[in-house]
Amino acid sequence: MVAPAPAIALPHDITHHSLTLDSKPGASIHYTFAQSREPNYSLLMVFLNGLMTDKSSWLPTMAGIIRKDPSFPPMLAYDRYGQGMTVDRDPQDRKREEGYGHDAMDCARDLQQLVEQVFRKHYVTQVSKPSLILVANLIGCAIARLFMQEYPKCVAGAIFLDSIMASSNFDFWPDPDAPGFDLKDLPEDVSVKTLREQRAKFKAVFRPDSINKESLDRRNLAELLPYSNKPMLQGAGGRAPMLTVVGHDFATFAEESLKARLSQLTQTKRSIGPIIAPGCGHFIQRDNAPFVVSEVLELLDRIQLSHGSHHEADLLISDVRQRTEAEDMRSLVQMV
């Protein structure tokens, strides 16, 4: 089931297209593109979906960026094979086990090919190749990390919205059929039947071996990304990338994110987070698009300042840290 995006009036800058990857003939990918009004823009912003949303979930964010910043960068959102408007399957999945096709690294390589072809098709600029800003949700964050590892020095900055815990098998619930299980360990209001039902529901959605509509095989994700804080990412121009880490719930995500140390994937002075997205579930871009717009524009400011005065960029990051710490404290007080 795909989480629906709200109906909104879109700026005319946002247009819809499809293309076939040169490396995978016979299957089309649908994408949404917003051409910058500024000539020779050296950045391209790319939005990466989770498993249960499609590119339409980013439309409010794209529209908000255009309305807030007339000099917005070119923007790209797309549906992976078997997702949203992209009804075609990954041609290479035919050779693989039923339900377990391409993996997250394949998605990262598809993204590289897509970016190259979109650049050739849409860019009217003297820029030889744009640096990327990746804005990702859930498993899209894992794909973004793999992309940055596979294609170093291509990405100027990234925002991770409620990143998946790539190194986890998500087996959090006690197994009532495991040796040594003691019924006394369960809360009084939880039966073995309820526990089995919850385990089944959780596995169907989150476990790496669960099958999804895309046939995106996640069984090797912990091998592809065994650590949350390494390897250190390399950014465009030889600089460490700017990074913002965002979660949707203070009580759970902050603890998990601090353990995962996602923010340590880049230099400390270029990292912000974890920030808590107010009033959000897992699909932060759908639940609070204005918040995502604000974070994207702040990241864009940091990137642009880093190409000028490093001191000014450091001051901006310091200001953002102070603001987010105060906002997160207010959220915690309200929860208590």
Side-chain angles (χ1 to χ4, degrees):
M1 180 179 179
V2 174
I8 59 170
L10 297 178
H12 70 274
D13 308 86
I14 296 176
T15 54
H16 305 285
H17 311 266
S18 66
L19 59 72
T20 300
L21 297 184
D22 294 341
S23 57
K24 293 185 176 180
S28 296
I29 286 181
H30 286 253
Y31 65 95
T32 297
F33 187 74
Q35 178 67 67
S36 176
R37 300 167 187 171
E38 298 291 326
N40 300 329
Y41 213 114
S42 60
L43 295 170
L44 170 62
M45 187 173 295
V46 184
F47 299 92
L48 304 178
N49 313 325
L51 280 174
M52 298 178 67
T53 56
D54 57 29
K55 65 183 178 67
S56 67
S57 69
W58 298 106
L59 291 177
T61 298
M62 296 174 71
I65 291 170
I66 291 172
R67 294 183 178 114
K68 289 273 189 178
D69 183 5
S71 60
F72 61 91
M75 292 182 284
L76 168 67
Y78 70 104
D79 288 331
R80 297 185 296 269
Y81 292 113
Q83 182 185 61
M85 295 293 292
T86 301
V87 296
D88 290 340
R89 317 297 295 184
D90 187 329
Q92 295 182 359
D93 286 356
R94 302 189 193 103
K95 307 172 186 178
R96 295 166 174 162
E97 182 183 355
E98 181 69 24
Y100 299 104
H102 54 286
D103 63 13
M105 181 62 81
D106 294 321
C107 292
R109 291 167 179 157
D110 289 344
L111 174 57
Q112 170 67 6
Q113 182 69 49
L114 176 65
V115 166
E116 289 184 359
Q117 290 185 224
V118 167
F119 176 75
R120 295 200 304 262
K121 181 175 180 180
H122 292 283
Y123 268 60
V124 183
T125 174
Q126 299 300 315
V127 177
S128 58
K129 191 175 183 180
S131 298
L132 303 183
I133 299 174
L134 303 181
V135 184
N137 178 228
L138 295 169
I139 199 170
C141 300
I143 296 171
R145 287 181 60 192
L146 290 170
F147 180 91
M148 296 168 80
Q149 292 176 199
E150 189 78 354
Y151 305 99
K153 301 181 180 180
C154 290
V155 177
I159 297 180
F160 294 161
L161 301 173
D162 204 26
S163 176
I164 189 173
M165 292 181 287
S167 57
S168 172
N169 66 1
F170 293 89
D171 195 5
F172 302 134
W173 300 88
D175 184 356
D177 301 313
F181 174 79
D182 191 341
L183 187 61
K184 296 178 182 178
D185 294 335
L186 290 181
E188 293 182 0
D189 57 344
V190 177
S191 67
V192 171
K193 178 184 177 183
T194 300
L195 180 58
R196 286 199 177 99
E197 291 174 350
Q198 290 302 315
R199 283 177 59 85
K201 291 177 181 178
F202 202 81
K203 178 179 179 180
V205 177
F206 295 107
R207 283 284 299 272
D209 57 354
S210 63
I211 294 175
N212 53 76
K213 188 176 180 181
E214 296 178 51
S215 296
L216 173 53
D217 189 354
R218 296 172 289 156
R219 293 176 297 179
N220 66 343
L221 193 56
E223 298 173 15
L224 292 171
L225 294 169
Y227 305 104
S228 298
N229 64 335
K230 58 183 180 181
M232 289 284 284
L233 300 173
Q234 299 181 54
R239 302 179 178 90
M242 296 290 184
L243 178 61
T244 301
V245 179
V246 181
H248 77 280
D249 179 83
F250 189 92
T252 58
F253 177 84
E255 179 181 359
E256 292 169 355
S257 183
L258 288 172
K259 289 180 180 177
R261 302 188 298 278
L262 285 172
S263 58
Q264 295 179 16
L265 288 168
T266 190
Q267 295 176 1
T268 302
K269 65 180 182 180
R270 289 177 168 260
S271 176
I272 291 177
I275 298 171
I276 308 307
C280 292
H282 292 294
F283 312 116
I284 294 174
Q285 71 275 20
R286 182 200 65 184
D287 296 340
N288 195 341
F291 168 84
V292 178
V293 170
S294 176
E295 295 304 325
V296 166
L297 294 178
E298 282 189 338
L299 176 67
L300 189 58
D301 285 343
R302 287 156 54 198
I303 291 171
Q304 292 172 334
L305 280 172
S306 72
H307 286 74
S309 168
H310 292 280
H311 177 66
E312 289 181 358
D314 291 344
L315 287 176
L316 177 59
I317 292 175
S318 177
D319 289 343
V320 173
R321 281 205 180 101
Q322 292 176 13
R323 173 185 60 80
T324 55
E325 287 171 359
E327 290 176 352
D328 291 345
M329 184 56 67
R330 284 195 293 272
S331 297
L332 180 59
V333 170
Q334 290 171 0
M335 290 173 64
V336 174

